[in-house]
Amino acid sequence: MAVPRLLLHLVYPTSSSLLLANCKPSPLPVLNIGCRRISTAAAQRAPPSEAAVDDFWRWLCERGAVAASSAATVKPGFVPEGLGLVAQRDLPRNEVVVEVPKRLWIDSDTAVASEIGRLCAGLKPWVSIALFLLRERALGTASPWHPYLDILPPTTNSTIFWSEEELSEIEGTQLLNTTMGAKESRAFSRGRGENLALVPLADLINHSSSITQVDSCWEIKGKGIFSRELIFSLRTPVYVKSGEQVHIHYDIAKSNADLALDYGFVEQRPDRDAYTFTLEISESDPFYGDKLDIAESNGLDETAYFDIALGCPLPPLMLPYLRLVALGGTDAFLLESVFRNTIWGHLELPVSRANEEAICRVVRQACKSALSAYHTTVEEDEKLMEGDNLDERLRIAVCIRAGEKKVLQQIDDAFRERESELDVLEYYQERRLKDLGLVGEQGEIIFWESK
């Protein structure tokens, strides 16, 4: 598996969460030069030489980023992914393995303090960092950063770098739309953060799917009680034997599409397969204002995004939002102000047969339309995946498109089953009559007559 070097999204002064990002919403093409090995022939280049890695290590030692070589906890080493951090002795869980002072981070402060600092004023952090990297790369050995830059590969298997022919293999996928949007705008929403940074040595840490701990394995802290200097501290989340590689888990919540875009790899795990349903309250809806107010009162907006993973239930807010969007006709009385504080509770249950039928029809039509855009079937994709000679990028493409289709079929199955239950579901009017004691044990409506 080709695993990328990390681009860290730091939170000052300390943080319990790590955003290891490069795209959806994630950082930028230029910063992707700080990524790990690539296995596709079109983008492949020779790994850095041992001499280059040795120069990088000396550079770190001279600048106080690591202890003397004989006492080092980890050292850069050649691993299946390219370069990685190799334990120099047995490491217990939560052992600190890397501490990098802020003066060795490459962030927007670094760019502003450089000779091109005046050109970086007012620029987004990722833009200023990109400009700084381009200039330092152009300086070659004259750059004080060249030992670090010399070990960076130029590209990754991220879909940002795929050719048109390679991108055709993800035709119909949401990943293609996200990738093309990023390529055309040359900007990524995750790149809007104020605290992007490259952290030499720490960014050699590779990903492993066997790491399941969700606790953060890094923090930013002061170097000492009386020091204002910040350091980036990295711990190993599991026990590691001497000579073995130290790993972390980049992000347990990411889908395969996120992993492919951000890092250029996928995992063969069903819960990594996901599809994002986008729902919207139309501005042409006669009840637009009321519906938007209700949505916002419940933490949603005019447009809502629901990530659905393979083998997992629908997000809890999806059905209420669907019912809200479809609400109309004789059900519109629920939008009146008298129901404003209770309507979401009503939307969590079927409102009416017409409303429930409408959401089933709309969702199933959306699934059918999305599935028709793929140029292969799930069965064809699974047959391809059985082969051992797939190009890495084709393997990523097949995994992504097969996963999306499986999730779409799962969603369609769920709403097809719901359609079959429309006649037996209990709707708002029935529930209300029961609350008023106007429905008998057999479900018949009781009419009271005065004597």
Side-chain angles (χ1 to χ4, degrees), residues 76-365:
F78 293 95
V79 296
E81 297 90 343
L83 285 178
L85 296 179
V86 178
Q88 301 302 293
R89 58 175 173 79
D90 290 351
L91 302 175
R93 181 176 179 269
N94 283 329
E95 174 90 359
V96 174
V97 294
V98 169
E99 289 190 332
V100 183
K102 188 178 186 302
R103 65 179 181 276
L104 288 182
W105 305 353
I106 296 179
D107 57 11
S108 57
D109 291 341
T110 312
V112 170
S114 72
E115 293 184 9
I116 64 168
R118 61 185 179 81
L119 302 175
C120 298
L123 297 179
K124 293 180 179 179
W126 72 263
V127 177
S128 60
I129 294 171
L131 291 174
F132 175 83
L133 290 174
L134 288 171
R135 178 182 183 275
E136 296 302 311
R137 175 73 84 181
L139 290 174
T141 56
S143 168
W145 295 91
H146 82 86
Y148 174 55
L149 301 180
D150 286 348
I151 68 167
L152 301 182
T155 185
T156 75
N157 273 333
S158 164
T159 52
I160 290 295
F161 299 107
W162 288 18
S163 67
E164 289 186 13
E165 182 180 358
E166 289 166 334
L167 287 173
S168 69
E169 295 294 342
I170 54 173
E171 181 180 346
T173 66
Q174 291 187 321
L175 176 58
L176 177 60
N177 293 333
T178 307
T179 301
M180 295 309 294
K183 287 169 71 72
E184 291 168 5
S185 67
R186 298 188 181 183
F188 305 88
S189 57
R190 284 182 190 150
R192 296 173 188 159
E194 295 299 316
N195 300 315
L196 291 175
L198 280 89
V199 183
L201 187 62
D203 63 4
L204 287 176
I205 192 80
N206 282 319
H207 166 92
S208 173
S209 59
S210 66
I211 305 294
T212 57
Q213 285 83 349
V214 296
D215 295 339
S216 174
C217 57
W218 69 278
E219 64 178 330
I220 298 171
K221 60 184 182 181
K223 189 174 183 179
I225 297 177
F226 302 106
S227 174
R228 292 186 177 183
E229 183 177 22
L230 296 176
I231 60 172
F232 179 88
S233 179
L234 179 68
R235 304 184 303 275
T236 174
V238 296
Y239 169 79
V240 182
K241 291 183 180 179
S242 178
E244 292 183 347
Q245 186 179 177
V246 179
H247 290 96
I248 63 171
H249 199 295
Y250 283 2
D251 193 330
I252 203 164
K254 284 183 181 287
S255 69
N256 268 333
D258 291 330
L259 294 176
L261 183 62
D262 293 357
Y263 306 120
F265 69 87
V266 292
E267 289 187 345
Q268 299 298 318
R269 282 176 37 193
D271 59 340
R272 289 288 197 185
D273 295 327
Y275 195 91
T276 301
F277 245 74
T278 304
L279 303 174
E280 185 178 74
I281 303 170
S282 173
E283 290 187 6
S284 63
D285 190 315
F287 305 106
Y288 171 80
D290 291 322
K291 291 182 178 181
L292 180 58
D293 181 53
I294 293 166
E296 291 177 340
S297 298
N298 290 277
L300 296 167
D301 209 333
E302 175 184 11
T303 303
Y305 304 93
F306 298 97
D307 296 326
I308 305 169
L310 188 62
C312 298
L314 296 175
L317 295 179
M318 183 174 171
L319 278 174
Y321 191 87
L322 271 168
R323 292 178 180 127
L324 175 65
V325 171
L327 206 63
T330 57
D331 298 324
F333 71 92
L334 287 172
L335 297 171
E336 295 177 5
S337 57
V338 68
F339 291 100
R340 195 54 49 95
N341 295 329
T342 60
I343 184 172
W344 199 257
H346 297 312
L347 293 172
E348 289 176 340
L349 298 170
V351 174
S352 68
R353 193 186 195 286
N355 182 269
E356 205 72 7
E357 186 175 24
I359 67 172
C360 290
R361 182 177 65 254
V362 168
V363 171
R364 296 200 63 197
Q365 286 176 347

